[in-house]
Amino acid sequence: MKTRLVLTTAILSATTLPAFAEGVLNIYNFGLYTPPDLIEKFETTYGVEVTLTEYDSNETAMAKIEAGGHGFDIVVPSASVVPIYIGKGLLLKSDPNTMENFKHVAPEWVSVEWDPDRSYTVPWVWGTTGIMVNKDVYAGDINTSAIFLDPPDELKGKINVVPSMNDVIDLAIMYVGGQPCTTDKEVLKAARDKLVAAKEHWASIDYASFEKFINEDLQASVFWSGAAMRIRAENSGFTYGFPKEGFLKWQDNVAILADAQNVRNAKLFLNFIMDPENAAMISDYTGYGNGIAGSEAFMSADLLAAPEMTIPDDAAPVARFQQTCSTEVQDLYSRIWTDLTK
Amino acid sequence: MATDAETLSIRADTRRRWVLALPAVTIITLFSILPLGVVVAYSFLTPGDYGNVKWIISFEGWFHVLFERDIFDDTVSLSDAHLTIVVRSVLLSLATTGITLVLGVPTAWFIATRPQRQRAFWLFLITIPFWTNLLVRTIAVQEMIRSDGIVNRLLLWLGLIDAPIQMMFTNFAILLGMAYVFLPLMVLPVYAAIERFDFRLAEAGYDLYASRLYCLRKVVLPQVKAGIIAGSILVFVPSLGAYVTPRIMGGGTTLMLGNLIETQFGQGRDWPLGAALSLTLTALVLVALVWYTRLTTRERRDG
C-alpha cells in the first residue's frame, strides 16, 4: 500500500514540477504553515510560480532532502536541527545578512546560537510547545504537563499527543524534574515510566487534523501555541496552557538548499519574508510571532491580543529553548519513543 | 552432419529465448533484486548520527529485531516492543483474512450464481471502491465511526446507547478499515473459482442423498478451495505490511509492522534496524507464500 502511495506521489510530482523552468520556486515546509495569500503576493510581485510541498516533521524533511533528487529550493528547519543541516552541507550559504530587508530582523534573532551571523537562515516564526485543553470539559488548572502525564478523569481517552519525539520527551523530563537532553539515566527512566503509564489514557499519538478538536473528538493535546490559537478561533472552549514544570520555546528558520535549482528566486523569497508587512501575514496565518521588528503594526488586532502569543511573566522562567541533544542522548530518546509507541 | 545442424539450431533457439527474456530479467534485476540487495546491505551497517548509515559492518540491526539491551542497565532481554508489534500485526492480519472470508465467500457465491448477463454488473460494483484513493476511503470510514459520526448518532437516536461509543483509534477501527479495504481482493479470486464450478456436480450430490452441508463440504469446497486460498493470501500478505490504515484508524497508539519500519527511517534514525525489520516482514510473507504453494501443488497432485 505504501509503495502505491509513494509511487502515485512520485508520478504526480514528476508531472507537476517543471524542474528547471525559469520563474519557479519549490518550497518545502511543515503542513498548514505557509499562508496562501503570502505565496500569491510573492507570485504576483516577482512573476514566479511557487509550488508548495508539506512535511510533518524535521526528521521526514531531512531524510527526503538527504536522499537527493527532491527538487526543492527552500526548506524550513527548526533551530534545533539547523546545525545538523549545516554540518551535513545541505544548506546553501546564501548570506541573508547582506540582504536589503535584513535590517528588519529583531535584535534578539540576529545572532543566534545555531547560525551566529545568519549566513544561512532567516527567521520564519517562533512559538512554544505546551498544552491545549477544552475548558468546557475540564475546568481545572491547565498550566501543567499533568494534563497528559497524570490526566484528570474528565479528559481520559480524549487526549492527543503529537508524535514529535523531542517535544514529548522534553516535556516529560521537565515534569519529573530534569532538564531536556539530560544524561542522567535515573531522570530518563522516570520520564519513560511516566510516559508509558500515561499512554493508556491517550486517544492518539497523531498530527491530528484541526477538525478533530473543533468537532471535539479530542479534548486535549500536547500542542503548539499557534495551532492552539487557530483552533480557539473555531471553538472557543480550547485554551492554551504553559506547563509550570517547564515548556519549550522554539524557532523555525527559512533556508536555501545546497542543491537548489532556483537560487535567485529563493533569495528573493528570503528577502521578501523579512519585510515587516509580509512577516505579519505569516503571523496572522500561523498564529506565531515572527522575529521581524515593526511587523506588529501590520498584524490583526485578534493576533496581537491572543494569550497564546505572549508568555506570561510567571511562566517565563521555566521556558526552555529547544536544542539538539548529543547523539547518545538522542539514541536513548528514540528507544524511549519505541517503548512508548509500540 | 545432421546432428551438428540440430545442435546449432537448438543453440540458436536457446540464444533467442535468452534475448527474449532479457527485458524481463533486466527489469527484475534493476527494480527488485538490486534494491533488495541494498536493503540487505544496509541491515548490516551502523546507523549514522542523524539517519542514513555509516559504512561499518555491524550486526546490531539484526540483534535489535528480537532483543533489546535495557536502556538503563544494559541487560539483554527479548524485545517486548517489537514482539508485541509483530504478534499484533499477525493477529490483525489473520482476523482481517477471517472477516473478509466470512463476508467475501457468500458475496462471491451470490455473484457467481446470478444469470450470466448480470454478473458483469455485480463485479463492476465490487470494483467501484478502487476508483477512489485508499487514503480518502480510509478517512471516510473514520468519519463514520467518530464519536459524533453517523453510526454513533444512529445508535443514540435509536436509544440503544446513552453515550457515544469510542470506536475511533482502537484495534476495532484498524480491523474495520483493513477488512473494508481488502474485501474485494477476497471476492474476486473466490468468484473466479465458483464461476468455474460445475453445478451439475452439486445436483448429482443431492441425487445421491447428500445433505446440503455434506454437499457443500465434500463437493463444493474442494472445487473452490484454490480460490479461497488465493484470496486469503491476497488479503493476508498486504495486511501484514499495511501502513496507511493502521496509521489513520489506529491514531498512532497501536503500531503495526509497517509503521514500526517507518519510525526507524524517520524519527528513530536507525536505518539498519529498519532494513532488518523490512527483511523480517519479507520473510513472514515468504512463509505465507511457501505455505500457499505447498497447498496448491498438493491439490494438483491429489486432483
Side-chain angles (χ1 to χ4, degrees):
Chain A
M1 282 306 136
K2 194 188 177 191
T3 347
R4 196 167 75 190
L5 271 188
V6 172
L7 204 68
T8 325
T9 328
I11 293 166
L12 277 181
S13 41
T15 48
T16 52
L17 302 177
F20 306 105
E22 279 279 317
V24 300
L25 180 65
N26 297 314
I27 299 177
Y28 196 34
N29 197 355
F30 287 96
L32 297 171
Y33 212 42
T34 323
D37 51 349
L38 178 89
I39 296 300
E40 219 166 278
K41 186 177 172 190
F42 181 75
E43 285 181 325
T44 46
T45 311
Y46 295 102
V48 168
E49 197 189 315
V50 175
T51 307
L52 175 67
T53 311
E54 298 185 333
Y55 54 85
D56 58 10
S57 68
N58 283 307
E59 290 81 7
T60 311
M62 211 181 323
K64 187 150 181 185
I65 288 165
E66 257 206 298
H70 44 74
F72 302 124
D73 303 308
I74 280 186
V75 70
V76 188
S78 299
S80 56
V81 295
V82 167
I84 307 171
Y85 268 87
I86 297 177
K88 289 189 160 203
L90 296 173
L91 298 186
L92 179 79
K93 190 168 178 295
S94 59
D95 295 315
N97 50 16
T98 61
M99 290 179 187
E100 187 197 343
N101 283 332
F102 190 76
K103 58 179 186 283
H104 297 300
V105 175
E108 62 166 318
W109 300 114
V110 168
S111 178
V112 286
E113 206 183 320
W114 57 93
D115 187 6
D117 51 0
R118 286 279 180 193
S119 42
Y120 292 91
T121 64
V122 160
W124 178 251
V125 293
W126 67 269
T128 57
T129 308
I131 303 289
M132 179 183 74
V133 179
N134 187 347
K135 281 286 232 180
D136 296 343
V137 175
Y138 175 68
D141 179 21
I142 64 160
N143 288 311
T144 169
S145 292
I147 294 290
F148 81 103
L149 290 171
D150 284 311
D153 287 337
E154 295 92 322
L155 295 174
K156 281 180 182 165
K158 294 288 177 188
I159 300 166
N160 177 59
V161 172
V162 286
S164 179
M165 179 173 85
N166 283 293
D167 281 330
V168 174
I169 298 178
D170 283 350
L171 284 176
I173 289 175
M174 291 191 285
Y175 185 71
V176 298
Q179 288 300 325
C181 294
T182 182
T183 49
D184 184 338
K185 292 204 169 175
E186 286 308 307
V187 173
L188 285 167
K189 192 171 179 179
R192 181 202 52 186
D193 294 347
K194 196 84 219 168
L195 284 165
V196 169
K199 187 192 167 189
E200 62 168 308
H201 304 304
W202 303 346
S204 54
I205 304 177
D206 196 9
Y207 293 108
S209 69
F210 288 0
E211 284 71 27
K212 292 215 174 75
F213 298 105
I214 296 164
N215 299 331
E216 305 196 348
D217 284 322
L218 296 167
Q219 305 285 20
S221 184
V222 171
F223 227 30
W224 300 288
S225 50
M229 181 179 141
R230 288 160 78 182
I231 284 163
R232 176 172 58 83
E234 306 282 334
N235 183 335
S236 59
F238 283 95
T239 313
Y240 184 72
F242 298 88
K244 54 180 172 283
E245 301 86 11
F247 61 94
L248 301 158
K249 193 177 168 186
W250 46 261
Q251 203 230 352
D252 291 343
N253 305 268
V254 186
I256 304 178
L257 288 162
D259 50 358
Q261 301 289 333
N262 306 289
V263 174
R264 205 177 59 91
N265 293 337
K267 283 186 174 171
L268 284 176
F269 187 77
L270 258 51
N271 190 50
F272 178 78
I273 58 167
M274 287 189 285
D275 180 286
E277 202 178 333
N278 300 333
M281 288 167 89
I282 303 175
S283 292
D284 271 347
Y285 177 79
T286 59
Y288 296 108
N290 57 50
I292 300 296
S295 66
E296 291 81 1
F298 301 97
M299 288 182 193
S300 69
D302 284 352
L303 180 68
L304 290 171
E308 293 89 353
M309 279 273 279
T310 328
I311 299 174
D313 290 341
D314 55 335
V318 291
R320 283 278 154 245
F321 201 88
Q322 200 163 26
Q323 287 168 327
T324 303
C325 310
S326 65
T327 46
E328 297 79 47
V329 174
Q330 202 60 43
D331 181 45
L332 292 173
Y333 269 43
S334 2
R335 287 162 69 181
I336 292 175
W337 192 250
T338 315
D339 260 2
L340 179 62
T341 51
K342 70 181 177 196
Chain B
M1 288 309 274
T3 49
D4 273 3
E6 230 166 67
T7 12
L8 270 182
S9 96
I10 288 173
R11 270 194 200 149
D13 209 40
T14 323
R15 234 190 342 261
R16 197 163 50 241
R17 268 190 224 146
W18 271 106
V19 172
L20 283 175
L22 203 62
V25 173
T26 317
I27 285 177
I28 290 176
T29 314
L30 270 183
F31 297 111
S32 185
I33 296 176
L34 276 181
L36 198 63
V38 172
V39 178
V40 172
Y42 271 38
S43 71
F44 288 106
L45 296 173
T46 308
D49 289 344
Y50 303 101
N52 219 329
V53 286
K54 286 185 205 146
W55 287 85
I56 305 166
I57 300 284
S58 156
F59 296 96
E60 285 289 290
W62 282 102
F63 178 76
H64 282 132
V65 170
L66 276 185
F67 301 98
E68 63 183 354
R69 284 194 185 83
D70 188 88
I71 308 182
F72 304 109
D73 59 21
D74 271 351
T75 50
V76 172
S77 59
L78 273 175
S79 176
D80 178 34
H82 294 173
L83 285 177
T84 312
I85 293 170
V86 170
V87 169
R88 178 188 296 132
S89 301
V90 172
L91 286 182
L92 278 175
S93 304
L94 284 175
T96 307
T97 316
I99 292 173
T100 51
L101 253 177
V102 169
L103 294 176
V105 174
T107 311
W109 182 271
F110 173 81
I111 299 175
T113 50
R114 290 312 92 191
Q116 184 79 42
R117 280 197 302 175
Q118 288 179 22
R119 287 182 207 163
F121 170 73
W122 290 104
L123 276 182
F124 164 76
L125 288 187
I126 296 284
T127 59
I128 282 187
F130 289 123
W131 295 6
T132 317
N133 185 291
L134 171 66
L135 204 57
V136 177
R137 281 185 281 148
T138 310
I139 290 175
V141 173
Q142 190 177 53
E143 197 59 23
M144 288 177 59
I145 60 167
R146 275 179 37 209
S147 303
D148 196 25
I150 304 169
V151 173
N152 266 317
R153 272 203 224 156
L154 184 72
L155 292 176
L156 281 171
W157 182 74
L158 289 173
L160 291 175
I161 49 170
D162 305 324
I165 311 172
Q166 175 74 41
M167 289 182 277
M168 215 157 123
F169 306 140
T170 57
N171 279 332
F172 165 75
I174 300 183
L175 203 53
L176 179 71
M178 295 214 302
Y180 164 63
V181 166
F182 294 125
L183 187 54
L185 298 184
M186 179 62 87
V187 173
L188 295 176
V190 175
Y191 163 78
I194 297 178
E195 203 200 13
R196 278 199 305 268
F197 177 66
D198 186 347
F199 283 89
R200 285 175 304 185
L201 290 176
E203 281 166 23
Y206 288 142
D207 287 349
L208 296 167
Y209 298 102
S211 68
R212 296 172 72 106
L213 193 67
Y214 194 81
C215 186
L216 180 73
R217 265 177 47 215
K218 292 290 177 180
V219 183
V220 182
L221 274 186
Q223 294 284 314
V224 300
K225 201 169 141 197
I228 290 177
I229 295 172
S232 304
I233 289 290
L234 274 179
V235 172
F236 182 76
V237 167
S239 297
L240 257 189
Y243 170 78
V244 174
T245 312
R247 176 78 192 74
I248 293 175
M249 303 297 275
T253 45
T254 35
L255 297 191
M256 281 182 62
L257 263 170
N259 312 99
L260 178 66
I261 293 168
E262 193 261 355
T263 309
Q264 303 313 321
F265 286 98
Q267 305 212 43
R269 298 174 185 173
D270 194 342
W271 291 18
L273 174 58
L277 285 167
S278 305
L279 291 169
T280 310
L281 177 59
T282 314
L284 281 175
V285 170
L286 267 181
V287 168
L289 287 177
V290 165
W291 174 76
Y292 167 67
T293 331
R294 280 266 178 88
L295 271 185
T296 46
T297 45
R298 200 176 59 209
E299 193 66 26
R300 237 169 267 145
R301 229 180 292 137
D302 293 351

